[in-house]
Amino acid sequence: MDEMEANQFKDFGKEMIDYVAGYLENIRERRVLPTVEPGYLRPLIPDSAPLKPDKWEDVLKDVERVIMPGVTHWHSPRFHAYYPTANSYPAIVADILSGAIACIGFTWIASPACTELEVVMMDWLGKMLGLPEAFLACSGGKGGGVIQGTASEATLVALLGAKARTMDRVKKDHPEMSDAEIVGKLVGYTSCQSHSSVERAGLLGGVQLRSLQTDASNRVTGEILEKAIKEDIEAGLIPFYVVATLGTTSSCTFDKLDEMGTVCNENNIWLHVDAAYAGSSFICPEYRYLMKGIEKADSFNFNPHKWLLINFDCSAMWLKDPSWLVNAFNVDPLYLKHDQQGSAPDYRHWQIPLGRRFRALKIWFVLRLYGIENLQAFIRKQIGLAHYFESLVRSDDRFEITEEVILGLVCFRLKGANEPNEALLRRLNGRGVIHLVPSKIGDTYFLRLAICGRVTENSDIDISWKEVKNTADEILSKK
Ligand SMILES: *Cc1c(COP(=O)(O)O)cnc(C)c1O
């Protein structure tokens, strides 16, 4: 058989490493948004897979010809859409090793290092964030962490744990009620500002989730939550799950976690905290005030793959009592049983799929090769860049800041009506020098500028601001 041998792999791999380093180092020079039209790619490659192998040199050449024209460059300092997605050299190298070991770590015996490194890395990360001991495996209690693929999965998994816990309790109190009857009465709560994946978790989990209106500062407070819960209990429903958001996707706003936690604890409701983006900032002690009340939560999740330089996918989730998941999802066919069951987590019970990659390696590499101090410096620098952009916006009377800038997101708009702002965004993205996405809260349409690229400097922010300002000049002079 004619296949790639180790020698060729070494050549191909080295060439690819050079290509990757060159791509990332010179990413500023590429237009952040591609200019291609839908369907651009099919005519560039053959209709069918090759019968005989191509040469790796030709494959590498085709990356520039076929792929790069259709890439949105998320790691460009001109990319300000959504939230960042992480990227660093240590994480890329770790993924090469993960690809080589290529184990499926669903049980301890399926690759002990895969499970054991994950347990320890989740403790390292938890300590870096200052999470309460009750979430950490090293505390010797029930708690512990797990790497999920995405925050969306964490929200669903927590919902299923909450459902199992509440079903168990209600069945003990009301043996006459059937499962279907109980499920029909379960109700969960989240903010109208929470991520769309929370609503989706409710749909996937087959339970009602109420979307709560927020206070004037776009937050859910203890009072708002308590009122909704009281109404539902009076209507015969069973409140079981609350998702609090720390750092909403629209505007990086923080729910009143501490107050919500008190209400949840008093009513025996599972509290899950979604800090997908903002969680990384808690490695800096000066931002931990944003998670005040975290000790009242049952589960906590953030995405190192957003803002902690650990490439997608790596969503870190901690649970005070994972046994609710382990019991809820436990199916134990003979081929997955092993003698050491119980002495280490069998992570297959903590997640929806069976298979899992060796993702703890990239946490290990990044934490060791940056060190906590450099990661803190990175977060602080990015927040500083957001404040720098904020100061530029504030220096121009035509604009306003619509939400307090706390982390690396700046929400801003032209004062007055929405239409000029819609035109501004369309034109900015049409020019493709920088890339932003808008949002809307209530009737107010605004632009979001997120600090994304790892290599972003003040001079990059000057370029982004100049682009916004010049485009605004064009829009406003046309009127
Ligand atoms: C980005 C984001 C998510 C979704 O993250 P995934 O890992 O892509 O599922 C969820 N919640 C918040 C607040 C987010 O900002």
Side-chain angles (χ1 to χ4, degrees):
M1 194 174 76
D2 191 9
E3 63 165 0
M4 182 167 281
E5 304 284 349
N7 276 339
Q8 273 181 309
F9 167 66
K10 287 185 194 172
D11 291 340
F12 185 26
K14 281 171 194 156
E15 283 287 321
M16 185 55 89
I17 296 283
D18 282 346
Y19 179 81
V20 166
Y23 168 69
L24 290 172
E25 292 306 288
N26 300 305
I27 200 163
R28 275 187 187 79
E29 286 153 30
R30 296 182 187 256
R31 188 188 141 108
V32 61
L33 273 181
T35 54
V36 294
E37 298 288 335
Y40 90 95
L41 190 141
R42 188 182 275 281
L44 298 180
I45 57 175
D47 288 338
S48 316
L51 200 57
K52 306 251 184 240
D54 284 338
K55 289 217 278 290
W56 68 258
E57 290 89 343
D58 292 337
V59 175
L60 192 56
K61 263 187 229 145
D62 277 352
V63 171
E64 272 304 318
R65 185 180 68 88
V66 178
I67 302 301
M68 284 298 164
V71 171
T72 299
H73 301 287
W74 282 64
H75 301 286
S76 165
R78 318 272 177 265
F79 182 94
H80 299 297
Y82 320 109
Y83 271 138
T85 190
N87 189 355
S88 70
Y89 293 124
I92 294 172
V93 174
D95 264 344
I96 294 178
L97 178 58
S98 172
I101 296 172
C103 62
I104 307 293
F106 39 67
T107 54
W108 180 85
I109 195 68
S111 223
C114 182
T115 295
E116 294 203 10
L117 188 65
E118 185 162 331
V119 173
V120 181
M121 285 306 104
M122 293 305 294
D123 279 343
W124 279 22
L125 269 181
K127 285 182 193 169
M128 283 170 63
L129 263 60
L131 288 185
E133 286 274 307
F135 285 110
L136 307 184
C138 59
S139 73
K142 289 180 179 172
V146 58
I147 304 172
Q148 302 283 357
T150 61
S152 313
E153 287 164 71
T155 304
L156 175 59
V157 162
L159 179 143
L160 296 171
K163 191 173 166 186
R165 189 175 87 177
T166 305
M167 297 282 292
D168 183 75
R169 189 188 75 229
V170 175
K171 271 198 262 190
K172 276 184 192 138
D173 293 350
H174 298 278
E176 75 286 359
M177 279 174 84
S178 71
D179 281 11
E181 222 177 322
I182 301 171
V183 171
K185 289 179 187 292
L186 294 179
V187 55
Y189 306 84
T190 193
S191 162
C192 62
Q193 292 300 314
S194 68
H195 191 265
S196 54
S197 56
V198 181
E199 185 187 344
R200 197 142 178 275
L203 295 173
L204 291 168
V207 291
Q208 302 176 59
L209 270 194
R210 272 182 69 176
S211 170
L212 301 173
Q213 289 307 309
T214 51
D215 70 358
S217 310
N218 305 319
R219 301 169 305 192
V220 172
T221 62
E223 206 183 313
I224 292 170
L225 179 62
E226 191 160 33
K227 185 165 165 285
I229 289 172
K230 278 213 177 109
E231 281 169 16
D232 287 343
I233 292 177
E234 275 166 27
L237 298 178
I238 307 169
F240 81 108
Y241 185 50
V242 169
V243 179
T245 310
L246 299 182
T248 57
T249 315
S250 254
S251 61
C252 203
T253 304
F254 293 76
D255 281 338
K256 290 278 204 180
L257 176 64
D258 198 28
E259 297 176 12
M260 292 170 78
T262 303
V263 175
C264 289
N265 292 173
E266 281 169 359
N267 289 279
N268 221 330
I269 297 172
W270 184 300
L271 175 60
H272 175 68
V273 177
D274 173 6
Y277 166 71
S280 295
S281 73
F282 306 153
I283 66 167
C284 302
E286 69 271 30
Y287 293 109
R288 290 189 194 147
Y289 76 93
L290 295 166
M291 62 166 177
K292 182 164 184 275
I294 187 63
E295 70 285 352
K296 298 174 187 172
D298 295 281
S299 50
F300 172 83
N301 169 247
F302 88 106
N303 284 351
H305 72 227
K306 273 193 167 144
W307 206 18
L308 209 57
L309 301 177
I310 299 165
N311 290 42
F312 192 85
D313 54 342
C314 182
S315 186
M317 179 186 195
W318 288 267
L319 298 121
K320 271 189 191 156
D321 186 357
S323 68
W324 291 111
L325 299 183
V326 173
N327 297 334
F329 304 156
N330 198 339
V331 286
D332 233 357
L334 190 57
Y335 51 81
L336 293 175
K337 282 190 195 297
H338 58 94
D339 294 342
Q340 288 82 15
Q341 263 176 216
S343 52
D346 278 346
Y347 276 130
R348 67 192 166 103
H349 300 306
W350 297 48
Q351 63 176 19
I352 293 163
L354 173 65
R356 52 204 331 274
R357 299 193 310 121
F358 199 160
R359 292 177 291 208
L361 283 173
K362 58 192 175 188
I363 303 181
W364 195 42
F365 280 28
V366 168
L367 298 188
R368 290 184 65 189
L369 295 174
Y370 275 87
I372 296 173
E373 281 182 6
N374 277 318
L375 291 168
Q376 290 171 329
F378 167 73
I379 294 284
R380 289 176 181 134
K381 178 171 175 183
Q382 294 236 312
I383 296 172
L385 291 165
H387 285 298
Y388 178 52
F389 185 80
E390 177 191 13
S391 73
L392 296 170
V393 174
R394 286 192 192 279
S395 72
D396 187 327
D397 288 343
R398 299 172 300 173
F399 286 93
E400 61 187 350
I401 297 285
T402 60
E403 188 82 23
E404 185 192 354
V405 179
I406 301 174
L407 302 178
L409 180 74
V410 184
C411 298
F412 68 105
R413 68 196 299 277
L414 288 162
K415 290 174 185 165
N418 287 341
E419 288 73 28
N421 284 291
E422 291 166 16
L424 174 62
L425 182 93
R426 254 196 318 277
R427 189 171 287 222
L428 280 169
N429 284 334
R431 288 160 60 119
V433 175
I434 64 172
H435 183 37
L436 306 175
V437 292
S439 192
K440 201 172 189 180
I441 296 184
D443 293 325
T444 308
Y445 177 101
F446 58 92
L447 282 66
R448 300 164 76 260
L449 182 133
I451 306 295
C452 294
R454 172 173 56 83
V455 297
T456 310
E457 297 290 343
N458 275 28
S459 53
D460 294 304
I461 298 302
D462 286 329
I463 291 172
S464 295
W465 167 243
K466 215 170 117 197
E467 179 68 8
V468 170
K469 190 170 155 5
N470 292 346
T471 310
D473 290 345
E474 285 175 25
I475 298 283
L476 296 174
S477 69
K478 263 184 59 185
K479 284 186 37 174

